[in-house]
Amino acid sequence: MAVHQLHYIAVVVVLIVSSSHAFDISYNATHFYVSLNGVELIRHSPEEPFLYVGSGIPTFEGQFGNYDVEDFVEERIALIDFLVDDQDPISVHFTLSRLDMLQVEIRFVTDVDGSLYYGEFVSLSDGINRVWMRLVAEEDEHVFGGGSQFSHLNMRGKKFPIWIQEQGVGRDKNYEITFKADQRDGGGGDYYTTYWAQPTFVSSRLYYAHFDTTTYSELDFRADDFHEIQIWGNSPSQFHFFTGSSYIELLQGLTGYLGRQPMPPEWIYNGTILGVQGGTEAMLNYIQMAEDHGIKVSGVWIQDWAGRITTSFGRRLFWNWEWSPEQYPNLDTVIPELKQRGIRVLVYANPNLNRLGGLYQEAVNADFLIKNSSGDPYIVDYGEFFCGIVDFTNPNASQWYKDRIIKQNMLDLGISGWMADFGEYLPIDAVFYSGAKGTDIHNEWPAIWAQVNREGVEEGGKMGDILFWMRAGYTGSQRYSVMTWAGDQFVDYGLADGIASVIPGTLSLGMSGYGMNHFDIGGYTSLFDVTRTEELFLRYAEMAAFTTMMRTHEGNRPDENWQFYSSSHTMYEFARHTKIYVALNDYVNSTIRENHELGIPVQRPLFLHYEDDERVYNIQYQYMFGRDLLVAPVIEQGRETWDVYLPTDDWIFLWDEDITSAGGETLTVPSPMGHIPVFFRSQSQWADTFRQLRDIEAVTVTPGPPESMTTSRSSTAMASHFLLAICLTIMASFW
Amino acid sequence: MAVHQLHYIAVVVVLIVSSSHAFDISYNATHFYVSLNGVELIRHSPEEPFLYVGSGIPTFEGQFGNYDVEDFVEERIALIDFLVDDQDPISVHFTLSRLDMLQVEIRFVTDVDGSLYYGEFVSLSDGINRVWMRLVAEEDEHVFGGGSQFSHLNMRGKKFPIWIQEQGVGRDKNYEITFKADQRDGGGGDYYTTYWAQPTFVSSRLYYAHFDTTTYSELDFRADDFHEIQIWGNSPSQFHFFTGSSYIELLQGLTGYLGRQPMPPEWIYNGTILGVQGGTEAMLNYIQMAEDHGIKVSGVWIQDWAGRITTSFGRRLFWNWEWSPEQYPNLDTVIPELKQRGIRVLVYANPNLNRLGGLYQEAVNADFLIKNSSGDPYIVDYGEFFCGIVDFTNPNASQWYKDRIIKQNMLDLGISGWMADFGEYLPIDAVFYSGAKGTDIHNEWPAIWAQVNREGVEEGGKMGDILFWMRAGYTGSQRYSVMTWAGDQFVDYGLADGIASVIPGTLSLGMSGYGMNHFDIGGYTSLFDVTRTEELFLRYAEMAAFTTMMRTHEGNRPDENWQFYSSSHTMYEFARHTKIYVALNDYVNSTIRENHELGIPVQRPLFLHYEDDERVYNIQYQYMFGRDLLVAPVIEQGRETWDVYLPTDDWIFLWDEDITSAGGETLTVPSPMGHIPVFFRSQSQWADTFRQLRDIEAVTVTPGPPESMTTSRSSTAMASHFLLAICLTIMASFW
């Protein structure tokens, strides 16, 4: 291991100041200060320097998308001295140094519109591959963002590695599920593991900071008096700041920079998307059964549309992204028929191609796959399931994926959307067409994958009608991804990875510039004999009615876990939640429009609208659904009542006009199954819409397994027989 | 957090070279090299510097002796430049620096005898509180030592924090017991957690390195081409090197520097020490029962000699170190009677004093206790069990402990030894008489505690007759401690904390200069419904016969765990092992004498005698017991055969003259209960002694619980009734 030639290190950083002098920069011989619109951001002194530089030798261990990243820091040196080299109306140019020989140049810049404020590393000499930057912090400050953070909405007091990976199973080293998952394959995760990490945060001091890098980085909020941002690599580019008079203004600024999401297709408002499998007949039967029970169905999502192959683990989805007529006979004619009935068909794709498929062979022949160091296709073994990965750094490969898979195999077939899965598995030792290093492109990959999807839809002329939803994300996903989802929750009530976790996961993503999210109704991961119960499925369902969109998933072990079709009781209850969602359509649409136009997320932390109430800053399991609904999902088993904190406002309980509050208090409200604790603002223009939800009632049948169905409706008897047939065809494991 | 004034940093290090020029130091303008007797130790270049300095801000979290130590490293700077300032026959003086202003001075020294070679930090300016030093490493090099390391005898490839603490329960984050212990109180431990950590190692390049510091340090053996030693604090003093032509020579050198252990009292050779409790009558009955079954008894250890007090957790040992006549009536007259019969009485003490005891009050009145920041006695809550800690940095307090407790309460009573427990719990935020910082004295504390014990015995004129055994240790314990033990093994077969772990724990301690060790026969910690079985007890017992000494412990839950007295079968089998130990007395004594005189440990890694055999370097579950016995304990449950690796020599299986080997092979040998796999060297002068062990046979009775005892011996019927009485008086929990 060599110490790089730090004698010659020079990092040039530039800070541009607008003619309106939004950046206020002052300095003397030893100190300098940078404020933006009155918010002090940087305070440099010899004792508390702004910048540290150095070098480190990283190790990345792990498998199956779970990474253990360690860094051996060889040097870390405070840049104590500085000179102001140059100054013009829009920028100030600093050279930061240590002992004359160790230098960094930074330019602080305001763009010509005076709307963008950033620091810029102008040059960074060979040898530096770590930069640590400190921003002013106050002891009672809160920070939010970091991408989709499932454990901590308020990130203060913790360090957050920014590295795209599996979110983990259990995600809490003190939780038994996590221990077992770690024992199994190191996949237990931790509080910071997420499919969507992003070096962006919003501070309660009313500024946002965003760091333009694709390398590994860390947001360290542990210290009382500073935030420290670590960035790897030898070319950190810019770090952006924006201040505002409110969080909403900050999010407008952030999404103005990062990009905002398009409006989703309007057909999603028609009800839920049903995740089912098993072939055309099974699909149609599921739809029929759902509609017979009153479930509002907007689409049917068939992840096995490309067929299945058999491995020693069982039958797996065939990752060869084209319609399998064997698996789905007549799908081409069924799709338009269903569309006529207002039901869309959605499928599944990811960047991998199974080595046994025709598309893999096409890609190999055209040299479109990521390579290993020997120049052969980089093959990932997903468990006797060998795949190549399309190299999206090659424009021709991306075009091929868009043409052959998105346009030809999906859009031309008439399908209306897909799960655009994966993005977090990119091997760091792979060789890319662009010459990018695996560690440099790893974080960016999900955004590139999102771009391919979006461009494919746009080139197909279908934007506004197609819903694709992505799991992994990073800076850039904001402008490309049509929809995201919260990943693979464990089918339990664990705070860090159970039903609760989707709430901070969604709210933190909103604070990172991505304002729409949804989740697998019921959760996904079932391991160690823990299976989804009817109660859990329905608690998810009642929450989903108060989110952007509804979609079920059968999970990784369909036949062992409770499904929407597992009983008539479930179907009738679920039907009611889809009706609630549909009844809220206009409100949801107006809220999504706020996200689309202004970057105000659909689901919002309470402090977005009640920023003066200090108590709301650490509430991460309640949210505002739009401006007027306060939602407090039940995230524990067997609860008949639930405590809801209400900030100061005029509140009416959604299910009982007699329960009201002027806020500033915690109310204990009834929370029986099917009645998620929700309050609305009495002065809302939607108040009558909300009140009308009380009239939506479910058909009453006894809860329980199919055997105990007591309703006389004809479809129910069919359901239990049909279930048996379904069980025989559905496979337990699914990627 | 302030960056200290690194502008003014100067660290002075001196390396003294003897007139015989054992240190070979060469340099040019940019490079320097330090070798000792041909072994290259230091290789400095601008690209691979020898020394890094910087500053860090540590956090110590934890409870009950379990620490979570983290360090926020603010700066870490390579000292690239150097000057040779001065040179004389015994020393060379270097100034290491960075960019002229960042300096460290080191002197490399050979003492006047030419037998001690060390580097010395002559001065270290304010601001530096971290030093990282790199020594030359080769890729195939092995390193051993680090104190008592229970998971890794060969430390290469891992980083070892040197910080005295609880060894942990399970000690493996992938082990379920560890997970449960972490959930319970954070006490699960890890591969490096140990009661005895020490910044000392022996390299297979035939040198040892020892670092004189009492602060937190780390030995980092992860890199291929260097070892990195991290030392905290602003005054690292010396780092010692010694080369030799063999490991034995290295250990002679190391123990010559650190000190060697005295010969233990000869009465330990008379058999096992029995760990029992419950009062004088119970004690005598246990002895009688043991002797009736043929168990050779050298002593009886009564940890409850000072009585018990009641808390809501149950009855606990009363930490007030004086004989309780209520608990042990007539002990003063029984002791000499037992001594007449060749049986010694041993007790228990630690540095804590229960607040309810008279000794606590005495210590308070004399101002002999460690204080908190308010100036009051620092009280540790061991679970409704509040204690002060005697401040051994106060010479008067140490003298009081020696006079009042060791001499008056123990020696004058006629007792022959004690467990000198604890040493790892020292609170780091306490205030000491000497003014020492808690973090600076924490590691040293066990050695200070050992010194008090040894001086007490010496002042009482009893050295050579008294056995005290300690758990925690550090540099310095070598010269003070009469005996050590392997801590609190979990009562299972887990590699990291079960029966296996005592072997690397003992061997690594031997490579750190402490050559005698023993363990609780049966293990100690029983939690989570895991209890000691008869098989485990007897596997421990058969191994103990081939160690320095034998001692049983009832464990933390005596009535739920298998004891030596749990069945006649156990007693007869155990009796045989004590007879084997006694039959080996002369051999054991000669081996202990080698440790006493030369520092060659009693239990030895195989490479100590077979250093040319590359295969033995990673064998950590076999050992040489003295020069002539190779022991391969069975460390798994239910094994009837066992694989033993034999290096090249002439070997005869201990239990069967027909099983022989010339070595260089792995043999599978029978390993039924009671017949631990052992080979002896055919040319050993003790060969006949070893052969005679075959004639020692146990009385045969059916294994099982007391109910199934089938022997007609009169004592057995007594045993089972007596057991019931014992169970009523023995307490489950014990500190």
Side-chain angles (χ1 to χ4, degrees):
Chain A
M1 298 180 189
V3 167
H4 307 285
Q5 294 297 313
L6 286 176
H7 291 83
Y8 312 109
I9 281 168
V11 182
V12 183
V13 185
V14 184
L15 182 92
I16 301 192
V17 181
S18 77
S19 50
S20 64
H21 289 91
F23 265 133
D24 178 15
I25 298 179
S26 60
Y27 54 89
N28 59 26
T30 54
H31 292 58
F32 72 84
Y33 306 89
V34 178
S35 294
L36 179 61
N37 299 314
V39 179
E40 189 179 35
L41 299 171
I42 297 167
R43 190 192 293 150
H44 171 91
S45 69
E47 295 75 28
E48 298 186 11
F50 160 54
L51 205 67
Y52 295 74
V53 297
S55 59
I57 297 165
T59 53
F60 297 83
E61 290 187 2
Q63 58 176 348
F64 302 131
N66 305 297
Y67 294 88
D68 185 8
V69 183
E70 285 208 12
D71 195 28
F72 190 114
V73 176
E74 287 214 293
E75 286 207 306
R76 179 183 151 114
I77 299 176
L79 298 188
I80 289 174
D81 306 318
F82 71 94
L83 277 177
V84 178
D85 302 315
D86 202 10
Q87 199 161 355
D88 63 39
I90 64 154
S91 74
V92 180
H93 189 286
F94 281 77
T95 299
L96 293 147
S97 65
R98 180 65 173 279
L99 309 170
D100 290 340
M101 306 193 68
L102 202 62
Q103 292 183 349
V104 171
E105 284 181 77
I106 297 189
R107 205 166 73 111
F108 288 86
V109 184
T110 303
D111 75 1
V112 284
D113 297 336
S115 63
L116 203 58
Y117 315 98
Y118 57 95
E120 185 172 62
F121 287 85
V122 175
S123 70
L124 202 64
S125 308
D126 289 350
I128 292 179
N129 62 22
R130 299 284 179 275
V131 167
W132 296 265
M133 190 186 301
R134 286 189 178 180
L135 302 179
V136 172
E138 290 174 5
E139 205 166 337
D140 58 355
E141 183 177 342
H142 312 295
V143 287
F144 310 95
S148 191
Q149 293 291 343
F150 296 95
S151 295
H152 299 289
L153 174 60
N154 187 349
M155 304 166 85
R156 201 70 195 283
K158 292 261 178 192
K159 183 172 76 171
F160 294 83
I162 302 299
W163 185 252
I164 306 302
Q165 58 185 309
E166 285 279 341
Q167 71 198 138
V169 176
R171 302 185 65 261
D172 175 353
K173 295 300 184 201
N174 289 313
Y175 195 55
E176 193 177 356
I177 295 298
T178 302
F179 173 74
K180 288 179 175 172
D182 278 337
Q183 275 196 315
R184 183 174 173 261
D185 61 1
D190 211 333
Y191 69 88
Y192 56 82
T193 49
T194 175
Y195 292 115
W196 185 325
Q198 187 180 306
T200 307
F201 67 88
V202 169
S203 159
S204 61
R205 292 174 60 231
L206 288 176
Y207 73 92
Y208 81 69
H210 169 74
F211 302 86
D212 264 341
T213 177
T214 64
T215 64
Y216 178 95
S217 62
E218 285 185 0
L219 305 178
D220 188 345
F221 299 116
R222 290 176 300 172
D224 283 344
D225 52 351
F226 60 83
H227 307 317
E228 189 170 281
I229 298 89
Q230 179 180 171
I231 299 174
W232 289 13
N234 53 13
S235 56
S237 54
Q238 297 182 343
F239 41 102
H240 286 249
F241 301 112
F242 190 89
T243 64
S245 60
S246 68
Y247 293 103
I248 287 172
E249 206 178 313
L250 288 177
L251 288 180
Q252 280 186 255
L254 179 60
T255 55
Y257 175 63
L258 294 177
R260 296 189 186 118
Q261 294 82 66
M263 290 298 288
E266 290 199 0
W267 56 258
I268 68 165
Y269 302 138
N270 295 339
T272 185
I273 297 169
L274 297 174
V276 300
Q277 302 176 80
T280 308
E281 192 186 337
M283 174 185 77
L284 294 173
N285 283 334
Y286 280 122
I287 293 169
Q288 189 61 47
M289 186 163 53
E291 293 196 327
D292 285 349
H293 287 79
I295 295 171
K296 300 285 187 186
V297 181
S298 64
V300 61
W301 167 50
I302 46 173
Q303 63 178 9
D304 59 343
W305 73 299
R308 293 185 176 270
I309 58 167
T310 301
T311 73
S312 71
F313 295 121
R315 275 169 46 85
R316 304 270 298 267
L317 295 185
F318 188 34
W319 289 2
N320 184 58
W321 314 120
E322 64 189 2
W323 168 38
S324 162
E326 294 72 36
Q327 183 81 357
Y328 280 88
N330 309 315
L331 187 63
D332 53 343
T333 57
V334 167
I335 286 173
E337 289 164 17
L338 284 172
K339 195 169 183 179
Q340 283 282 322
R341 291 165 54 188
I343 295 173
R344 302 299 185 110
V345 175
L346 303 96
V347 296
Y348 174 95
N350 70 43
N352 299 285
L353 296 174
N354 191 300
R355 210 165 52 174
L356 303 175
L359 288 168
Y360 171 88
Q361 205 50 57
E362 259 185 59
V364 166
N365 294 344
D367 201 14
F368 286 161
L369 295 179
I370 288 169
K371 293 179 179 158
N372 62 26
S373 55
S374 312
D376 300 318
Y378 194 109
I379 300 297
V380 179
D381 177 6
Y382 290 95
E384 290 182 42
F385 191 86
F386 300 93
C387 296
I389 307 172
V390 180
D391 187 348
F392 297 132
T393 73
N394 177 350
N396 295 329
S398 293
Q399 195 60 49
W400 173 81
Y401 197 100
K402 289 186 279 185
D403 291 342
R404 280 289 284 122
I405 295 173
I406 295 178
K407 288 183 258 177
Q408 188 175 331
N409 289 352
M410 302 205 288
L411 299 185
D412 289 356
L413 185 63
I415 68 95
S416 294
W418 53 91
M419 174 181 275
D421 207 8
F422 279 80
E424 68 288 337
Y425 268 60
L426 192 73
I428 56 171
D429 57 345
V431 176
F432 297 88
Y433 173 87
S434 69
K437 276 179 61 182
T439 49
D440 288 349
I441 200 175
H442 173 90
N443 276 345
E444 193 183 8
W445 189 252
I448 298 173
W449 167 224
Q451 184 177 5
V452 169
N453 281 274
R454 168 127 184 187
E455 289 177 359
V457 173
E458 283 175 335
E459 292 174 18
K462 294 283 192 181
M463 270 303 285
D465 193 52
I466 296 296
L467 179 83
F468 65 85
W469 63 98
M470 314 203 65
R471 181 171 63 182
Y474 191 69
T475 310
S477 292
Q478 286 85 357
R479 60 179 85 243
Y480 298 123
S481 197
V482 167
M483 179 63 70
T484 190
W485 96 97
D488 299 343
Q489 276 65 46
F490 197 80
V491 291
D492 74 354
Y493 295 87
L495 277 187
D497 191 34
I499 181 171
S501 70
V502 303
I503 306 171
T506 299
L507 301 182
S508 55
L509 198 56
M511 298 307 290
S512 306
Y514 200 97
M516 302 191 300
N517 202 354
H518 78 299
F519 47 77
D520 296 340
I521 294 177
Y524 173 80
T525 304
S526 170
L527 287 171
F528 319 122
D529 300 323
V530 180
T531 55
R532 186 200 280 171
T533 61
E534 182 184 31
E535 179 179 349
L536 183 66
F537 178 87
L538 288 175
R539 285 297 192 194
Y540 264 105
E542 69 185 32
M543 172 163 54
F546 294 88
T547 67
T548 307
M549 60 168 267
M550 300 180 78
R551 177 184 53 80
T552 66
H553 195 312
E554 291 181 318
N556 64 324
R557 296 185 176 184
D559 44 356
E560 297 164 28
N561 283 271
W562 199 269
Q563 307 293 351
F564 81 83
Y565 49 77
S566 287
S567 80
S568 277
H569 177 266
T570 305
M571 285 189 273
Y572 287 128
E573 292 294 323
F574 184 44
R576 178 170 158 268
H577 299 308
T578 62
K579 290 170 190 168
I580 288 171
Y581 173 73
V582 170
L584 283 170
N585 269 356
D586 290 342
Y587 178 72
V588 176
N589 186 54
S590 73
T591 301
I592 291 178
R593 188 161 297 283
E594 286 186 324
N595 180 63
H596 169 65
E597 292 175 354
L598 303 171
I600 311 171
V602 176
Q603 293 173 252
R604 307 168 186 174
L606 270 54
F607 61 77
L608 228 64
H609 292 300
Y610 302 96
E611 63 189 53
D612 293 335
D613 185 341
E614 187 58 30
R615 280 169 293 187
V616 301
Y617 284 92
N618 286 310
I619 291 180
Q620 64 175 27
Y621 297 118
Q622 296 183 193
Y623 60 91
M624 299 300 296
F625 180 49
R627 176 65 192 96
D628 294 338
L629 291 173
L630 184 151
V631 184
V634 176
I635 54 173
E636 293 174 11
Q637 194 166 16
R639 292 296 301 263
E640 289 294 320
T641 64
W642 196 247
D643 293 342
V644 183
Y645 178 74
L646 298 164
T648 301
D649 209 329
D650 282 319
W651 299 105
I652 298 173
F653 191 51
L654 182 60
W655 311 111
D656 183 347
E657 193 74 16
D658 292 336
I659 302 178
T660 63
S661 171
E665 64 176 347
T666 298
L667 282 194
T668 302
V669 297
S671 63
M673 291 295 300
H675 288 76
I676 181 172
V678 173
F679 283 81
F680 63 89
R681 298 168 69 225
S682 65
Q683 66 267 48
S684 169
Q685 63 175 110
W686 305 90
D688 287 341
T689 303
F690 302 148
R691 286 189 179 94
Q692 282 160 20
L693 300 178
R694 295 171 189 158
D695 302 330
I696 301 172
E697 287 186 8
V699 175
T700 307
V701 289
T702 308
E707 292 72 32
S708 70
M709 289 180 192
T710 54
T711 172
S712 61
R713 281 182 166 236
S714 61
S715 64
T716 343
M718 186 277 283
S720 58
H721 286 98
F722 178 62
L723 272 171
L724 187 63
I726 296 287
C727 289
L728 295 174
T729 54
I730 289 173
M731 307 321 304
S733 58
F734 151 64
W735 286 97
Chain B
M1 297 181 190
V3 168
H4 306 286
Q5 295 296 314
L6 284 176
H7 291 83
Y8 312 110
I9 281 168
V11 181
V12 184
V13 185
V14 184
L15 183 93
I16 301 193
V17 181
S18 78
S19 49
S20 64
H21 290 90
F23 265 133
D24 178 15
I25 298 178
S26 61
Y27 54 89
N28 59 26
T30 54
H31 291 58
F32 72 85
Y33 306 90
V34 179
S35 295
L36 179 62
N37 299 315
V39 178
E40 190 179 33
L41 299 171
I42 297 166
R43 189 192 294 149
H44 172 91
S45 69
E47 296 76 29
E48 298 186 11
F50 159 55
L51 205 67
Y52 294 75
V53 297
S55 59
I57 297 166
T59 53
F60 297 84
E61 290 187 1
Q63 58 176 349
F64 303 131
N66 304 298
Y67 294 88
D68 185 10
V69 183
E70 287 209 9
D71 194 28
F72 189 113
V73 175
E74 287 213 293
E75 286 206 307
R76 178 182 152 114
I77 300 176
L79 299 188
I80 289 174
D81 307 317
F82 71 94
L83 277 177
V84 179
D85 302 315
D86 202 10
Q87 199 160 353
D88 62 40
I90 65 153
S91 74
V92 179
H93 189 285
F94 280 76
T95 299
L96 294 147
S97 65
R98 180 65 172 279
L99 308 171
D100 290 340
M101 307 194 66
L102 201 63
Q103 291 184 351
V104 171
E105 284 181 76
I106 297 188
R107 205 166 73 111
F108 289 85
V109 185
T110 302
D111 75 1
V112 284
D113 298 336
S115 64
L116 203 57
Y117 316 97
Y118 57 96
E120 185 171 64
F121 287 86
V122 175
S123 70
L124 202 64
S125 308
D126 289 350
I128 292 178
N129 62 22
R130 299 284 179 275
V131 168
W132 296 265
M133 188 185 303
R134 286 189 179 180
L135 301 179
V136 172
E138 290 174 5
E139 205 167 337
D140 57 355
E141 183 176 343
H142 312 294
V143 288
F144 311 96
S148 192
Q149 293 291 343
F150 296 96
S151 295
H152 300 288
L153 174 61
N154 187 349
M155 304 166 86
R156 202 71 195 283
K158 291 262 179 192
K159 183 172 76 170
F160 294 83
I162 302 298
W163 184 253
I164 307 302
Q165 58 186 309
E166 285 279 339
Q167 71 198 138
V169 176
R171 302 186 62 264
D172 175 352
K173 295 301 184 200
N174 289 312
Y175 195 55
E176 192 177 357
I177 295 298
T178 301
F179 173 74
K180 288 180 175 172
D182 277 338
Q183 275 196 315
R184 185 173 173 260
D185 61 2
D190 211 333
Y191 69 89
Y192 56 82
T193 49
T194 175
Y195 292 115
W196 185 325
Q198 188 180 305
T200 306
F201 66 88
V202 170
S203 159
S204 61
R205 292 174 60 231
L206 288 175
Y207 74 92
Y208 80 70
H210 169 75
F211 302 85
D212 264 340
T213 177
T214 64
T215 63
Y216 178 94
S217 62
E218 285 184 1
L219 305 177
D220 188 344
F221 300 116
R222 291 176 299 172
D224 282 344
D225 52 351
F226 61 83
H227 307 317
E228 189 171 282
I229 299 89
Q230 179 180 171
I231 299 174
W232 289 14
N234 52 13
S235 56
S237 54
Q238 296 182 343
F239 43 101
H240 286 250
F241 302 110
F242 190 89
T243 63
S245 61
S246 67
Y247 293 103
I248 286 171
E249 206 178 312
L250 288 176
L251 288 179
Q252 280 185 255
L254 179 61
T255 56
Y257 174 63
L258 294 177
R260 296 188 186 117
Q261 293 82 67
M263 291 297 289
E266 290 198 1
W267 56 257
I268 67 165
Y269 302 137
N270 295 339
T272 186
I273 296 170
L274 297 174
V276 299
Q277 301 175 81
T280 308
E281 193 185 338
M283 174 184 77
L284 293 172
N285 284 334
Y286 279 122
I287 294 169
Q288 190 60 49
M289 185 161 54
E291 293 195 328
D292 285 350
H293 287 79
I295 295 171
K296 300 284 188 187
V297 181
S298 64
V300 61
W301 167 49
I302 46 171
Q303 62 179 11
D304 57 344
W305 72 298
R308 291 185 177 271
I309 57 168
T310 301
T311 72
S312 70
F313 296 121
R315 274 167 49 84
R316 303 269 299 266
L317 295 184
F318 188 33
W319 290 2
N320 184 58
W321 313 121
E322 64 189 2
W323 168 38
S324 162
E326 293 73 36
Q327 183 81 359
Y328 280 89
N330 309 316
L331 186 63
D332 52 344
T333 57
V334 167
I335 286 173
E337 288 164 17
L338 285 173
K339 196 170 183 178
Q340 282 281 324
R341 291 164 55 188
I343 295 173
R344 303 299 184 109
V345 175
L346 303 97
V347 296
Y348 174 95
N350 70 44
N352 298 285
L353 297 174
N354 191 301
R355 211 165 51 173
L356 303 175
L359 288 168
Y360 172 88
Q361 205 50 56
E362 260 185 59
V364 167
N365 293 344
D367 201 13
F368 285 161
L369 295 179
I370 288 169
K371 291 178 181 158
N372 61 27
S373 55
S374 311
D376 299 319
Y378 194 109
I379 299 297
V380 179
D381 177 7
Y382 290 95
E384 289 181 42
F385 192 85
F386 299 94
C387 295
I389 306 172
V390 179
D391 187 347
F392 296 132
T393 73
N394 178 350
N396 295 328
S398 292
Q399 196 58 51
W400 173 80
Y401 197 100
K402 289 185 278 185
D403 291 342
R404 279 289 283 123
I405 294 173
I406 294 178
K407 288 182 259 178
Q408 188 175 329
N409 290 351
M410 302 204 289
L411 299 185
D412 288 356
L413 184 65
I415 68 95
S416 293
W418 54 90
M419 174 182 277
D421 208 8
F422 279 81
E424 69 287 338
Y425 268 60
L426 192 73
I428 56 172
D429 56 344
V431 176
F432 297 87
Y433 173 87
S434 70
K437 275 179 60 183
T439 48
D440 288 348
I441 200 174
H442 173 91
N443 276 345
E444 193 183 8
W445 189 253
I448 297 173
W449 167 224
Q451 184 177 5
V452 168
N453 281 274
R454 167 127 185 189
E455 289 177 0
V457 173
E458 283 175 334
E459 292 173 18
K462 295 283 192 180
M463 269 305 284
D465 193 51
I466 295 296
L467 178 84
F468 65 85
W469 63 97
M470 313 203 64
R471 180 171 62 181
Y474 191 70
T475 310
S477 293
Q478 286 85 357
R479 61 179 85 244
Y480 298 123
S481 197
V482 167
M483 179 62 70
T484 191
W485 97 98
D488 300 341
Q489 275 65 47
F490 196 80
V491 291
D492 74 354
Y493 296 87
L495 276 187
D497 191 33
I499 181 171
S501 70
V502 303
I503 306 171
T506 299
L507 301 182
S508 54
L509 198 56
M511 298 308 290
S512 307
Y514 199 97
M516 299 192 301
N517 201 354
H518 79 298
F519 47 77
D520 297 339
I521 294 177
Y524 172 80
T525 304
S526 169
L527 287 171
F528 319 122
D529 299 324
V530 180
T531 55
R532 186 200 280 171
T533 62
E534 182 184 31
E535 179 179 349
L536 183 66
F537 178 86
L538 288 174
R539 285 296 192 195
Y540 264 105
E542 70 185 32
M543 171 163 55
F546 294 88
T547 67
T548 307
M549 60 168 268
M550 299 180 78
R551 177 183 53 79
T552 66
H553 195 312
E554 291 181 318
N556 64 323
R557 297 185 176 182
D559 44 356
E560 297 163 29
N561 283 271
W562 200 269
Q563 307 293 350
F564 81 83
Y565 50 77
S566 287
S567 80
S568 276
H569 177 266
T570 306
M571 285 189 274
Y572 286 127
E573 292 294 323
F574 184 43
R576 177 169 159 269
H577 299 309
T578 62
K579 290 170 191 168
I580 289 170
Y581 173 72
V582 170
L584 283 170
N585 270 355
D586 291 341
Y587 178 72
V588 176
N589 186 55
S590 73
T591 302
I592 291 177
R593 189 161 296 282
E594 286 186 323
N595 179 63
H596 170 65
E597 292 175 355
L598 302 172
I600 311 171
V602 176
Q603 293 172 254
R604 307 167 186 175
L606 270 56
F607 61 76
L608 228 64
H609 293 300
Y610 301 96
E611 64 189 52
D612 293 336
D613 186 341
E614 187 57 31
R615 280 169 295 186
V616 301
Y617 284 93
N618 287 310
I619 291 179
Q620 64 176 27
Y621 299 119
Q622 297 183 192
Y623 61 90
M624 298 301 297
F625 180 48
R627 177 65 193 96
D628 294 338
L629 291 173
L630 185 150
V631 185
V634 176
I635 55 173
E636 294 174 10
Q637 194 167 14
R639 292 297 301 262
E640 289 294 320
T641 64
W642 195 247
D643 293 343
V644 183
Y645 178 75
L646 297 165
T648 302
D649 210 329
D650 282 319
W651 299 105
I652 299 174
F653 191 51
L654 181 60
W655 311 111
D656 183 347
E657 192 75 16
D658 293 336
I659 302 178
T660 62
S661 172
E665 63 177 347
T666 297
L667 282 193
T668 302
V669 297
S671 63
M673 291 296 301
H675 288 77
I676 181 172
V678 173
F679 284 81
F680 64 89
R681 299 168 69 225
S682 64
Q683 66 266 49
S684 169
Q685 64 175 111
W686 304 91
D688 287 341
T689 302
F690 303 147
R691 285 190 179 94
Q692 282 160 20
L693 299 180
R694 294 171 190 159
D695 302 330
I696 300 172
E697 288 186 9
V699 175
T700 307
V701 290
T702 308
E707 292 73 30
S708 70
M709 289 180 192
T710 55
T711 171
S712 60
R713 282 183 165 235
S714 60
S715 63
T716 344
M718 185 277 285
S720 57
H721 286 98
F722 179 61
L723 272 173
L724 186 63
I726 296 287
C727 289
L728 295 173
T729 52
I730 289 174
M731 307 321 304
S733 58
F734 151 64
W735 287 97

